[in-house]
Amino acid sequence: MTYRDDIRNIAIIAHVDHGKTTLVDAMLKQSKVFRDNQQTVECIMDQNALERERGITILAKNTAVMYRGVKINIIDTPGHADFGGEVERVLNMADGCLLLVDAAEGPMPQTEFVLRRALEKNLKPIVVINKIDRKDARIPEVLHLIQDLFLELAISAEQLDFPLLYAVGRQGVATSEPDAEGKDISPLFEAILREVPPPVIEEGPFQMLVSNLDYDSHKGRIAIGRIHRGKVAPHDRVVALHKDGSATQHEVNAVMTHLGLKRLEVAEAAAGDIVALTGIEDIAIGDTIASPEQPEALPRIEVSEPTVEMTFGVNTSPFAGREGRFGTTRQLRDRLYRELETNLSLRVQDSDTPDVFLVAGRGELHLSILIETMRREGYEFEVSKPEAVTKIVNGRLMEPVESLSIDTKEEYIGILTEMLSKRQAQLTDMRHDGTGNVHMAFKIPTKGLIGFRGSFLTATRGEGTMNTLFLGFEPWHGDLNTTRSGVLVASEDGIAVTYGLNNAQGRGLTFVDPGTFVYEGMIVGQTARPRDIAVNVCKEKHLTNIRSSTSDIAIKLTPPVRMSLEQAIDFIERDELVEVTPKSIRLRKKILKETQRLRSRATAGRGVREEG
């Protein structure tokens, strides 16, 4: 068996906000990827606009640095559980993994999920305890928790003997001891060269598993993966082996490798290299590209199944077509099915209604990122309330169950326990740190988590963090009772005015400003009552010789409630939709006409009575 000692392939895995992307920044800068006078920004790898806005890694990416003549290919992975599919599909390109753990927070649910996948693939782990400069750092306790995690997940005894480093990613320093003074990131580079095994070179014709896809307006579709066997060069003839067993012939246009943030064209690449190939348009993630001499398919990438689903439909509101460029059934369908090419955790299927599609993902954030991406591309559509994905196993209804971990102040224990008990959560662990903070762990059905994040932030006044991990499917726990109050629904089309909104605010909170165009059936506020109330926010004060319209100036309205996309999705009920356009996010009833809603409600009530 031969090796390529000039390459190391390593994936960096961590929970969200544990400093993974900042550490990659330090590795890129200290390896002299950039010129001395070149301007760089923080979180260099997060080039997607949504990643920069939210401060999280969403897409797995490749980069590479040179250190002492060895090329270190770095695979940056997301840290949020909803994007676990991104992690699962790229780990096959690595021989080792860099597990980054916050010195104060310790291992989190996503840490456990990703580490389990890495150890199953027999990747050599290197543990880095990051942010050791934090005032609340608890390095001995965190190290003990990491050791417990390895004892639980390790497949072999060798995996328990992991190298350990300490780092402050923001300062770009790493050390082998927590009290040592760090100068740079070189101890981390040395550990990678020493601990991560070099790629094994197999003899035989070219073979590569496609782990990622990209697109370039000039080069077309780009297939990214690690060469498993053989060599590849421009103009080589190759065979793409697809999921359905079919094979297509292609010619490679260009072979590129990564260095820093750039892709460099090379004359040839060999086994162990992570490359990007162009000229293969008919390709998907999980397909194998091989030599025609020996067209053998590699095992396909397997990812965990979705847990949350919602409908995406053509916009049917009276404002359809005003703000978006793409809004037809064909355009929406093509875009959703195109997403399947790169988003392996997503599932899309046609519904009984031709202009509505059922979309399933790994969580609310996973789906909301897709919605936000599409609206920024110019699509307008409407989405329903997320629901947990269920399935029938041996005649029993099964639903997804997750582990929920919460870190917050002790004063919020009572309200959180009460909220979660109504969502069928079971407390499995509680630990106090002696300084007023508490860690709580719950087992909860996925349906109980839908809409909980907003309530959690409100209840803890922003002084808490929550994380989830998918555990598996269990028998149905029963229906949840809704806790949301009714809404204020516009009774007429028109423009909201101060007088009408003032009347509406006498019945609850409002969501729109004066001058906002509204339509019948649009949700314009929330009431404290359990039932919906129809209001005319377009109603103006009648003018007389005594009263004039200028008297409206004296009316002072309460500022409207502004909802983000995630908050809007969490807020709606089953009989409501979120209308999404490039410019607006509106809440609406599925049935816009009030008379039809009342008739539908009466019919549904009669059906329940007859069934009873």
Side-chain angles (χ1 to χ4, degrees):
M1 190 177 293
T2 57
Y3 299 89
R4 282 193 64 179
D5 206 41
D6 61 333
I7 287 181
R8 299 292 187 277
N9 296 319
I10 189 164
I12 300 189
I13 55 180
H15 191 81
V16 66
D17 284 338
H18 280 203
K20 171 175 50 60
T21 307
T22 307
L23 189 69
V24 175
D25 286 357
M27 297 173 73
L28 288 169
K29 291 173 181 176
Q30 294 187 28
S31 61
K32 300 299 181 182
V33 166
F34 306 106
R35 302 186 309 272
D36 291 337
N37 63 344
Q38 186 172 345
Q39 295 292 320
T40 58
V41 295
E42 291 187 356
C43 299
I44 300 168
M45 292 294 288
D46 287 346
Q47 297 178 327
N48 181 290
L50 279 175
E51 291 179 320
R52 289 202 168 277
E53 289 176 18
R54 295 169 182 260
I56 59 174
T57 301
I58 297 173
L59 304 172
K61 308 174 195 68
N62 298 84
T63 186
V65 299
M66 296 296 298
Y67 182 76
R68 292 206 294 116
V70 177
K71 184 175 186 178
I72 302 175
N73 285 309
I74 302 169
I75 305 159
D76 187 19
T77 64
H80 198 285
D82 280 23
F83 308 110
E86 291 285 314
V87 179
E88 291 172 294
R89 68 178 173 80
V90 297
L91 286 181
N92 64 79
M93 292 193 286
D95 298 299
C97 66
L98 198 65
L99 178 66
L100 205 62
V101 181
D102 189 289
E105 295 183 2
M108 301 296 278
Q110 177 70 353
T111 313
E112 177 184 344
F113 166 79
V114 181
L115 181 61
R116 178 184 284 111
R117 293 291 187 270
L119 296 180
E120 286 172 355
K121 293 182 179 294
N122 204 30
L123 302 187
K124 173 66 177 180
I126 299 175
V127 176
V128 178
I129 299 180
N130 194 28
K131 302 185 183 182
I132 60 172
D133 59 332
R134 288 184 58 165
K135 293 181 180 179
D136 56 348
R138 49 191 187 107
I139 298 173
E141 295 93 327
V142 167
L143 178 56
H144 183 70
L145 292 172
I146 293 171
Q147 291 170 337
D148 288 346
L149 186 62
F150 271 84
L151 280 170
E152 179 185 346
L153 302 179
I155 297 174
S156 62
E158 291 78 11
Q159 292 175 338
L160 297 175
D161 185 23
F162 53 83
L164 179 64
L165 294 173
Y166 304 88
V168 182
R170 190 171 292 277
Q171 297 177 14
V173 298
T175 61
S176 56
E177 298 294 333
D179 299 327
E181 183 177 350
K183 296 181 179 179
D184 54 26
I185 210 75
S186 57
L188 178 57
F189 285 134
E190 293 291 343
I192 292 173
L193 264 58
R194 183 176 62 253
E195 302 291 342
V196 177
V200 177
I201 304 303
E202 290 195 23
E203 298 298 327
F206 172 68
Q207 187 184 41
M208 177 185 113
L209 182 69
V210 179
S211 300
N212 204 352
L213 290 178
D214 201 355
Y215 183 81
D216 183 272
S217 56
H218 299 292
K219 296 182 173 68
R221 183 168 294 187
I222 300 172
I224 301 170
R226 172 178 165 176
I227 300 178
H228 182 71
R229 185 180 69 197
K231 299 179 179 180
V232 65
H235 309 299
D236 280 357
R237 299 295 300 179
V238 294
V239 175
L241 305 172
H242 305 293
K243 184 177 182 179
D244 59 2
S246 63
T248 53
Q249 298 275 345
H250 303 273
E251 180 181 325
V252 177
N253 285 345
V255 179
M256 297 174 285
T257 59
H258 298 84
L259 185 61
L261 303 183
K262 298 179 180 178
R263 290 194 184 114
L264 306 177
E265 292 196 21
V266 294
E268 185 181 73
D273 279 320
I274 294 177
V275 297
L277 305 182
T278 65
I280 309 171
E281 291 297 317
D282 184 20
I283 196 70
I285 292 175
D287 289 351
T288 299
I289 304 174
S291 167
E293 302 173 17
Q294 198 171 332
E296 298 173 341
L298 290 164
R300 295 192 68 84
I301 300 171
E302 298 294 335
V303 299
S304 301
E305 53 192 309
T307 57
V308 175
E309 63 184 8
M310 62 197 305
T311 61
F312 283 53
V314 172
N315 189 6
T316 57
S317 87
F319 293 170
R322 293 187 183 184
E323 300 176 352
R325 290 185 295 143
F326 311 112
T328 67
T329 302
R330 181 185 59 80
Q331 290 168 335
L332 181 61
R333 187 181 193 278
D334 289 348
R335 176 62 182 84
L336 289 173
Y337 278 92
R338 189 165 69 247
E339 183 71 18
L340 296 178
E341 296 176 0
T342 55
N343 200 333
L344 291 194
S345 299
L346 201 72
R347 301 287 184 271
V348 179
Q349 64 184 72
D350 296 347
S351 71
D352 297 335
T353 307
D355 54 358
V356 176
F357 306 93
L358 190 62
V359 181
R362 292 281 280 268
E364 287 178 272
L365 182 61
H366 184 204
L367 294 174
S368 67
I369 290 292
L370 171 61
I371 295 169
E372 182 64 31
T373 301
M374 290 175 60
R375 74 183 286 248
R376 294 188 182 200
E377 293 173 357
Y379 288 84
E380 67 168 61
F381 49 98
E382 56 193 28
V383 297
S384 68
K385 181 180 181 64
E387 296 185 3
V389 175
T390 58
K391 59 183 181 180
I392 303 295
V393 179
N394 298 326
R396 301 185 69 184
L397 181 63
M398 309 289 283
E399 67 172 332
V401 176
E402 302 189 39
S403 169
L404 168 66
S405 66
I406 290 176
D407 291 278
T408 186
K409 303 287 186 183
E410 291 178 342
E411 61 191 274
Y412 304 122
I413 292 176
I415 187 171
L416 289 175
T417 305
E418 181 182 356
M419 290 168 56
L420 287 166
S421 65
K422 295 177 180 177
R423 295 171 175 267
Q424 300 177 345
Q426 299 175 344
L427 181 65
T428 58
D429 187 26
M430 181 186 293
R431 297 193 303 270
H432 300 262
D433 68 353
T435 62
N437 300 313
V438 64
H439 171 83
M440 295 187 290
F442 295 86
K443 184 178 178 183
I444 183 172
T446 298
K447 66 173 183 286
L449 285 170
I450 295 173
F452 174 69
R453 190 175 296 273
S455 303
F456 169 76
L457 293 174
T458 302
T460 60
R461 300 176 185 176
E463 295 183 304
T465 58
M466 57 171 280
N467 298 282
T468 60
L469 176 67
F470 174 64
L471 296 177
F473 281 81
E474 290 186 0
W476 180 255
H477 288 235
D479 294 327
L480 285 178
N481 294 323
T482 180
T483 56
R484 199 201 74 181
S485 58
V487 291
L488 302 176
V489 185
S491 60
E492 291 187 12
D493 300 349
I495 301 175
V497 296
T498 302
Y499 184 75
L501 287 171
N502 186 55
N503 290 337
Q505 287 190 348
R507 301 185 176 189
L509 302 171
T510 53
F511 298 161
V512 297
D513 283 311
T516 303
F517 286 88
V518 300
Y519 53 81
E520 182 182 0
M522 180 174 160
I523 297 172
V524 295
Q526 184 178 14
T527 176
R529 299 183 179 183
R531 296 183 69 87
D532 300 337
I533 300 175
V535 293
N536 184 6
V537 293
C538 306
K539 183 179 181 181
E540 298 188 26
K541 182 185 294 184
H542 293 295
L543 302 181
T544 68
N545 59 348
I546 299 174
R547 297 174 179 167
S548 67
S549 60
T550 55
S551 63
D552 281 354
I553 297 172
I555 298 176
K556 291 186 178 180
L557 295 175
T558 303
V561 175
R562 305 288 187 192
M563 287 191 188
S564 66
L565 176 62
E566 284 88 354
Q567 289 171 330
I569 292 171
D570 286 346
F571 178 81
I572 60 174
E573 292 291 351
R574 290 186 175 182
D575 64 334
E576 298 163 356
L577 298 169
V578 178
E579 178 188 353
V580 181
T581 77
K583 297 180 180 179
S584 308
I585 296 172
R586 303 185 186 93
L587 308 182
R588 52 160 290 187
K589 289 291 184 179
K590 285 185 179 179
I591 302 174
L592 297 179
K593 298 292 183 183
E594 184 183 6
T595 53
Q596 294 178 7
R597 287 200 303 275
L598 293 173
R599 191 179 302 121
S600 175
R601 194 178 302 132
T603 303
R606 189 162 56 248
V608 170
R609 286 194 297 272
E610 289 173 358
E611 187 178 322

